[in-house]
């Protein structure tokens, strides 16, 4: 009888050492659809997917097929063909933008480093896949996930167009972190200097107190001699 444990072990090792995917895939919405044909109603699925490499590229695709898995595969292929290079200023977007797309109405705003993604599910999926770490958003229109995904993509596309048109120079994450560290060092130096000044002020106060005490003692001795 053959021993298949070695084959199973080899399969496990291959799965363990499998390279990570270049793009992260997120299913936003799955809808059941029907199509009228001569033979009757043909059932299928419509799937909206967001893909991104978390390094500034993101895309959205809609796939339709008879089963969910095939729909997802079609959606992913479409999304990868329509990738957008998102303009990122450090860890956020360069400026705020308000977007309307059909019934969707959203606002995207830059956020300070460390704020995180302050956004609803649909917007969060897009900006997170793009690699934006800090952003604030507000949904003013419909809560439909698909509409808000397309509105977010439109907003990022508009930002890209403005950045390219006006020639805005964006800072990379590394550069933004370097500037942040320099600011922290400057603040630390100012704080240390302020601490030294406070310490010296306390010492001067003690010295003045000691001098006053000595003056009082001298005055008392002078009065006793009289």
């Amino acid at each position: 009888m053959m021993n298949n444990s070695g084959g199973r072990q080899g399969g496990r090792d291959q799965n363990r050492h499998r390279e990570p995917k270049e793009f992260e895939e997120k299913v936003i919405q799955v809808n059941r659809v029907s199509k009228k044909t001569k033979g009757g109603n043909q059932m299928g699925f419509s799937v909206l997917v967001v893909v991104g490499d978390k390094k500034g590229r993101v895309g959205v695709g809609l796939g339709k097929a008879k089963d969910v898995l095939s729909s997802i595969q079609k959606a992913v292929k479409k999304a990868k063909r329509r990738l957008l290079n998102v303009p990122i200023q450090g860890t956020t977007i360069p400026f705020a933008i308000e977007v309307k797309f059909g019934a969707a109405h959203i606002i995207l705003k830059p956020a300070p480093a460390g704020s995180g993604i302050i956004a609803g599910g649909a917007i969060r999926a897009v900006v997170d896949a793009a690699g934006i770490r800090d952003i604030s958003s507000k949904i003013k229109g419909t809560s439909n996930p698909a509409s808000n995904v397309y509105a977010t993509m439109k907003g990022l596309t508009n930002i890209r167009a403005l950045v390219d048109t006006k020639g805005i120079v964006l800072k990379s994450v590394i550069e933004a972190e370097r500037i942040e560290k320099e600011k922290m060092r400057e603040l630390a130096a100012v704080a240390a200097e302020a601490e030294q000044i406070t310490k010296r002020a306390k010492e001067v106060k003690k010295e003045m107190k000691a001098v006053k005490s000595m003056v009082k003692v001298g005055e008392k001795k002078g009065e006793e001699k009289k």
Side-chain angles (χ1 to χ4, degrees), residues 61-137:
L62 183 67
K64 295 179 182 179
K66 291 182 180 180
D67 59 273
V68 175
L69 184 59
S70 299
S71 300
I72 292 172
Q73 289 172 347
K74 284 185 178 181
V76 169
K77 285 181 181 178
K78 285 183 180 179
K80 286 181 179 178
R81 287 200 298 265
R82 303 169 185 170
L83 289 174
L84 169 69
N85 287 318
V86 179
I88 301 176
Q89 177 83 314
T91 59
T92 188
I93 54 177
F95 45 82
I97 193 162
E98 188 168 353
V99 187
K100 290 182 180 180
F101 183 88
H105 183 189
I106 65 169
I107 299 173
L108 303 175
K109 295 179 181 180
S115 301
I117 299 172
I118 306 168
I123 299 174
R124 175 182 288 273
V126 176
V127 297
D128 183 50
I132 298 171
R133 299 181 195 173
D134 306 295
I135 191 170
S136 174
S137 70

Side-chain angles (χ1 to χ4, degrees), residues 23-164:
F23 293 95
E24 184 176 306
E25 303 164 8
K26 295 181 181 180
V27 176
I28 304 300
Q29 197 173 54
V30 179
N31 290 327
R32 193 176 180 86
V33 295
S34 63
K35 184 180 179 182
K36 287 186 177 180
T37 61
K38 291 180 180 179
N41 286 342
Q42 187 177 2
M43 302 303 294
F45 293 91
S46 171
V47 179
L48 184 68
V49 173
V50 171
V51 302
D53 62 358
K54 289 185 174 286
K55 296 178 182 177
R57 291 190 297 168
V58 67
V60 176
L62 183 67
K64 295 179 182 179
K66 291 182 180 180
D67 59 273
V68 175
L69 184 59
S70 299
S71 300
I72 292 172
Q73 289 172 347
K74 284 185 178 181
V76 169
K77 285 181 181 178
K78 285 183 180 179
K80 286 181 179 178
R81 287 200 298 265
R82 303 169 185 170
L83 289 174
L84 169 69
N85 287 318
V86 179
I88 301 176
Q89 177 83 314
T91 59
T92 188
I93 54 177
F95 45 82
I97 193 162
E98 188 168 353
V99 187
K100 290 182 180 180
F101 183 88
H105 183 189
I106 65 169
I107 299 173
L108 303 175
K109 295 179 181 180
S115 301
I117 299 172
I118 306 168
I123 299 174
R124 175 182 288 273
V126 176
V127 297
D128 183 50
I132 298 171
R133 299 181 195 173
D134 306 295
I135 191 170
S136 174
S137 70
K138 188 175 183 180
I139 296 173
K140 299 181 76 175
T142 180
S143 58
N144 181 271
S147 298
N148 287 322
V149 162
Y150 286 121
T152 305
M153 287 297 294
K154 183 182 177 182
L156 295 176
T157 302
N158 290 348
I159 292 175
R160 174 83 271 170
L162 286 169
V163 167
D164 292 341

